[in-house]
């Protein structure tokens, strides 16, 4: 927990110091500029029940990628879920090209989702995955961005 708080504090200080403007500018030049600094997760370090989330993609061949995501809770919760979105880099910004349905599980501590998607070659792609839990009146949620992957011709 201390490492999550420390990481969150460093991230906040980074953005407040004005470095975020450099990051935004570089991300318009090439998509991996965002990934190079290792900031992929937006989770509140004070979460009690949402422990971790991940999302990723891999190239399968024949113009298809496999995308997947998983959410891990610290205990069984009323509802736990994940939604996986494939994004493409336009040269200026990331756009959503395929958003999956919410994959939810009840009375569980783990949720996952995966599927195959046909993509156009010559673009960078990444996964944006949304993760959440519901436990009584508490809702915790966060977003994870994977590294980018260039799909060649």
């Amino acid at each position: 927990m201390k490492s999550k708080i420390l990481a969150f504090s460093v991230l906040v200080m980074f953005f407040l110091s004005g470095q975020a403007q450099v990051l935004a500018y570089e991300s318009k030049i090439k998509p991996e500029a965002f990934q190079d600094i290792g900031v992929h997760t937006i989770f509140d370090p004070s979460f009690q029940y949402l422990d971790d989330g991940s999302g990723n993609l891999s190239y399968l061949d024949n113009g298809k990628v496999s995308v997947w995501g998983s959410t891990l809770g610290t205990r069984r919760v009323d509802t736990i879920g994940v939604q996986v979105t494939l994004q493409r880099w336009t040269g200026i910004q990331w756009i959503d090209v395929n958003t999956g349905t919410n994959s939810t599980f009840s009375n569980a501590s783990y949720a996952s989702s995966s599927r195959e998607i046909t993509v156009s070659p010559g673009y960078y792609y990444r996964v944006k995955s949304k993760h959440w839990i519901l436990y009584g009146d508490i809702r915790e949620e966060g977003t994870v961005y994977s590294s980018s992957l260039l799909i060649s011709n």
Side-chain angles (χ1 to χ4, degrees):
M1 183 60 142
K2 288 181 182 178
S3 64
K4 286 184 180 180
I5 292 172
L6 177 61
F8 183 74
S9 299
V10 169
L11 180 62
V12 169
M13 290 173 49
F14 175 78
F15 280 101
L16 292 177
S17 71
Q19 297 298 318
Q21 293 175 349
V22 174
L23 173 64
Y25 178 75
E26 288 180 354
S27 68
K28 291 180 180 179
I29 297 170
K30 59 180 185 172
E32 56 271 23
F34 179 75
Q35 283 75 24
D36 288 345
I37 63 168
V39 179
H40 301 287
T41 306
I42 304 170
F43 276 12
D44 185 332
S46 68
F47 283 161
Q48 295 177 321
Y49 305 108
L50 180 56
D51 187 44
D52 196 15
S54 65
N56 217 333
L57 74 159
S58 64
Y59 184 63
L60 297 175
D61 208 1
N62 298 324
K64 289 190 176 188
V65 294
S66 174
V67 298
W68 64 93
S70 62
T71 304
L72 180 64
T74 59
R75 58 166 295 150
R76 285 183 185 267
V77 294
D78 298 333
T79 305
I80 188 168
V82 61
Q83 182 184 47
V84 179
T85 299
L86 181 68
Q87 295 187 312
R88 182 177 66 220
W89 181 248
T90 66
I92 298 173
Q93 66 183 352
W94 289 103
I95 60 168
D96 296 350
V97 293
N98 186 296
T99 300
T101 59
N102 290 344
S103 180
T104 59
F105 296 83
S106 298
N107 191 29
S109 61
Y110 180 79
S112 65
S113 175
S114 65
R115 67 187 184 285
E116 294 180 8
I117 302 168
T118 301
V119 295
S120 300
Y123 292 97
Y124 283 93
Y125 291 88
R126 74 176 182 185
V127 164
K128 173 178 72 175
S129 53
K130 295 182 181 180
H131 309 269
W132 67 90
I133 65 92
L134 295 171
Y135 189 61
D137 293 338
I138 298 172
R139 178 179 177 91
E140 297 174 346
E141 59 184 56
T143 304
V144 175
Y145 296 91
S146 74
S147 296
S148 60
L149 176 65
L150 175 62
I151 305 299
S152 302
N153 292 331

